[in-house]
Amino acid sequence: MAVPPDAGLEVEVLLRTGPFHAALRAAVERSGLTLERLRDRLDRRGIHVSLSTLSYWRLGRSRPERADSLRAVQAIETILGLPRHSLEALLGPPRPRGRWVSRPQPPRHYGRMLEPAQSLAETVAALVGPSDGDLRLWSQDDAATVDADGVIRSVHTRQVLRAVAGHPDRYLAVYCADPGTPPGALDVEARGNCRLGRVRRHPGAPVIAAELLFDHALRAGRTHLLEYRFTIGDKGAQARDYRRAFRYPVGTYVLSVQFTEPLLPVRCYALAQPGVDAALVHDDELALTPGRVLHVLAKDVQPGVVGIGWDWS
């Protein structure tokens, strides 16, 4: 099969913008594989997909939704030399079917990733809308600052979001402060390419949730860059870690924590929770730089937690 000289560029563009069937078609054409050979490669991996199904996916007549089909998509990414989850991210949430169509679809919860879990659920529930599952994180950068009393005073977040379905026009940002922090001490600011919508604070727990409204609705495949910041006022509780929970996969995540002298941690380490309801585990020890900054970098993050912990003594 002859491969056009600009096929590589077309694939890279379609992996960012979609739709799924166009990206799949371009990636298969660039590889030089026929659908028959692609099916054979899948068979060797113990994944059986009919030729007609592959053809329908490529033409956009149907899309992978069931667990075994999504497993096939992940294998196709490997066979075609594509980044992990690049095709899968273009699919968006499964479409409702049959008797479930008229029922509201439940949001994907945080499970035991963040505490207090019940207070978080109560705060978020009022703001979760029908487009909650229509966005995915392409990349995210969190920069937390810790003051001389050991209190996290601010978390500045920069995100690149991608629409995978529908026409989303807002993002729901959530922050859980350390136990003992008064709920009224939490605040949120829209810092770039967004504006504040509804803001909810739990009356009895240090939990805040805020809608960040876009200037326009996004079409599927489009990306949006935004920035926002959570701040913690007086009487905040001393912190021993910062954790970011992800309900959906994210391509790249960078977390930095900056401390303020004279109070500096004596030991620092990465935190990981590989699953919504898995246990939080301590990972590699981290060295504090002369600038009193720690950071961790994670790629192809699955639902779970990434964070940094520290000991004061």
Side-chain angles (χ1 to χ4, degrees), residues 47-293:
I47 301 172
H48 306 295
V49 181
S50 70
L51 193 59
S52 61
T53 295
L54 289 175
S55 179
Y56 285 162
W57 290 353
R58 187 181 63 172
L59 296 172
R61 295 181 181 176
S62 66
R63 71 177 191 179
E65 291 186 348
R66 304 173 78 170
D68 53 350
S69 296
L70 295 179
R71 186 165 154 256
V73 171
Q74 293 168 0
I76 289 172
E77 291 169 349
T78 301
I79 293 169
L80 301 182
L82 304 176
R84 288 181 60 193
H85 311 299
S86 56
L87 282 176
E88 186 180 8
L90 297 175
L91 291 169
R95 291 172 294 197
R97 297 178 180 274
R99 62 193 180 96
W100 298 103
V101 171
S102 60
R103 300 190 182 187
Q105 300 300 305
R108 182 176 293 193
H109 296 294
Y110 286 95
R112 293 189 293 116
M113 294 191 290
L114 292 178
E115 297 293 343
Q118 183 59 36
S119 299
L120 173 60
E122 292 169 358
T123 307
V124 170
L127 300 184
V128 172
S131 64
D132 179 61
D134 292 347
L135 288 169
R136 293 291 184 273
L137 278 169
W138 182 273
S139 66
Q140 177 163 323
D141 183 298
D142 282 340
T145 58
V146 180
D147 69 9
D149 294 319
V151 177
I152 294 177
R153 285 301 181 194
S154 67
V155 179
H156 186 103
T157 297
R158 181 183 175 94
Q159 294 176 327
V160 177
L161 299 161
R162 179 169 60 180
V164 295
H167 296 84
D169 62 357
R170 66 198 63 201
Y171 175 76
L172 180 60
V174 180
Y175 183 72
C176 298
D178 291 278
T181 300
L186 304 182
D187 206 353
V188 59
E189 306 170 53
R191 303 284 291 181
N193 296 323
C194 60
R195 64 188 190 279
L196 280 181
R198 295 174 296 171
V199 177
R200 295 288 185 271
R201 295 172 180 83
H202 193 277
V207 178
I208 185 172
E211 285 182 325
L212 300 173
L213 308 178
F214 310 154
D215 290 333
H216 59 279
L218 303 180
R219 300 199 311 270
R222 295 293 184 179
T223 58
H224 188 72
L225 169 68
L226 59 80
E227 296 184 49
Y228 59 93
R229 182 170 68 173
F230 287 108
T231 56
I232 299 88
D234 295 336
K235 300 181 181 179
Q238 190 176 77
R240 295 184 178 275
D241 60 47
Y242 176 82
R243 313 176 193 179
R244 170 63 72 168
F246 295 101
R247 295 184 298 157
Y248 299 99
V250 57
T252 303
Y253 177 57
V254 180
L255 165 62
S256 64
V257 180
Q258 182 163 29
F259 296 89
T260 304
E261 291 183 311
L263 184 62
L264 299 177
V266 297
R267 177 174 172 265
C268 309
Y269 43 85
L271 295 173
Q273 184 176 328
V276 175
D277 291 307
L280 187 72
V281 297
H282 292 190
D283 210 332
D284 299 333
E285 290 205 16
L286 304 173
L288 193 64
T289 70
R292 307 176 302 282
V293 175

